[in-house]
Amino acid sequence: MYKRTLLFTILLLIYFSASVLIHEAGHAITGKLFGLGTPIINIWPGIELFPNIGATVSSSGWPERAVGYVSFIPESPRYVVEFNEFPQSLKLTPELKVITNNTHQENAYLPIVGLMGSGTTFLISLFCTLYLYFAKPNGVYRALVVCGTFLFYDILCYTVFPVFFKMRHLIFIGGSHPEPIICLVNIGVPFEFAVTSVLSICAAQIMALYYLSRKQGLFKLNAPTEEIRPFVIA
């Protein structure tokens, strides 16, 4: 019993660590694609995982009780040439201007980048569920896919505990704000609809997993049952 408990605890910690890395990688990759700069991935207790491995050197302060966070190093400054404000002048004096701040378009991407933390874990969860249903893998590979189907816990906990109980993402640790809900609201989705939508897709995922467990089994694929036909002697 002790060995099983210890093994389960170790596997749970590995699973949780993997889910945190997937969450932060979702932020990082989305921000990189939208041109926010080079992502820096940091995890508790102050370790930088990307682009270098070592002690955290990010200038951003460590969020209180956060398990991990991502910051971005802006790309090289953009240079533009501006002319004087009087086009009727016969003499134009161009000036070189350095733009270092983010543009409005880049700021508009921030809610999407924030959403794609929990959004990435949910998409992987959904993909694994569909793969489980159609491909019907077996053995160790099936166990890994099943673990992936439960990654939706991330967006569920990030919604339920902060919104309804004013608690942190994982009760005692994690962010204290409902990150996916805040990002959806900033995109333009009404608060009530955002909460309802997240709870609905998580409920649908739970029902799908329940259906799969009854039809196929979860960690072990059920053996196909053969139809029993009466034996008739003519």
Side-chain angles (χ1 to χ4, degrees):
M1 183 65 181
Y2 173 77
K3 291 182 178 180
R4 289 184 178 180
T5 303
L6 180 61
L7 178 61
F8 177 77
T9 303
I10 294 174
L11 292 176
L12 190 62
L13 288 175
I14 294 174
Y15 181 79
F16 172 70
S17 300
S19 68
V20 171
L21 293 179
I22 294 172
H23 179 108
E24 302 304 335
H27 290 310
I29 294 173
T30 308
K32 181 66 176 179
L33 292 176
F34 286 155
L36 298 186
T38 302
I40 302 177
I41 302 178
N42 303 281
I43 62 170
W44 185 88
I47 302 173
E48 179 182 328
L49 291 183
F50 183 87
N52 302 304
I53 298 179
T56 299
V57 295
S58 175
S59 59
S60 303
W62 192 272
E64 184 183 4
R65 297 188 186 180
V67 181
Y69 75 97
V70 177
S71 57
F72 294 91
I73 303 175
E75 302 292 346
S76 57
R78 298 180 295 274
Y79 299 90
V80 296
V81 177
E82 290 188 349
F83 294 92
N84 56 8
E85 298 180 358
F86 305 99
Q88 68 274 17
S89 173
L90 297 178
K91 183 180 180 181
L92 300 178
T93 55
E95 296 181 357
L96 183 64
K97 183 178 180 181
V98 180
I99 301 177
T100 58
N101 59 321
N102 292 334
T103 63
H104 174 73
Q105 185 181 19
E106 288 173 341
N107 291 332
Y109 290 142
L110 290 177
I112 302 177
V113 175
L115 179 63
M116 285 309 295
S118 298
T120 300
T121 53
F122 178 79
L123 289 176
I124 293 177
S125 174
L126 179 61
F127 172 80
C128 289
T129 302
L130 294 174
Y131 185 80
L132 206 64
Y133 177 76
F134 289 106
K136 299 179 177 61
N138 206 355
V140 177
Y141 191 46
R142 181 178 184 85
L144 292 175
V145 175
V146 170
C147 289
T149 63
F150 287 97
L151 285 174
F152 74 96
Y153 89 89
D154 187 29
I155 193 170
L156 180 62
C157 292
Y158 241 131
T159 300
V160 172
F161 290 117
V163 171
F164 296 101
F165 302 101
K166 308 302 179 184
M167 302 173 71
R168 295 187 175 275
H169 171 203
L170 295 173
I171 303 178
F172 300 110
I173 60 175
S176 58
H177 304 289
E179 181 182 76
I181 304 303
I182 292 174
C183 294
L184 285 172
V185 170
N186 288 334
I187 292 174
V189 180
F191 175 80
E192 292 79 6
F193 184 76
V195 174
T196 303
S197 299
V198 170
L199 295 180
S200 297
I201 60 176
C202 289
Q205 182 72 352
I206 293 173
M207 293 175 62
L209 290 176
Y210 176 75
Y211 172 79
L212 285 174
S213 67
R214 295 291 301 272
K215 185 177 179 62
Q216 299 182 9
L218 279 181
F219 289 94
K220 184 177 180 181
L221 186 64
N222 293 336
T225 56
E226 298 182 357
E227 183 181 357
I228 300 177
R229 297 181 179 179
F231 184 70
V232 179
I233 299 178

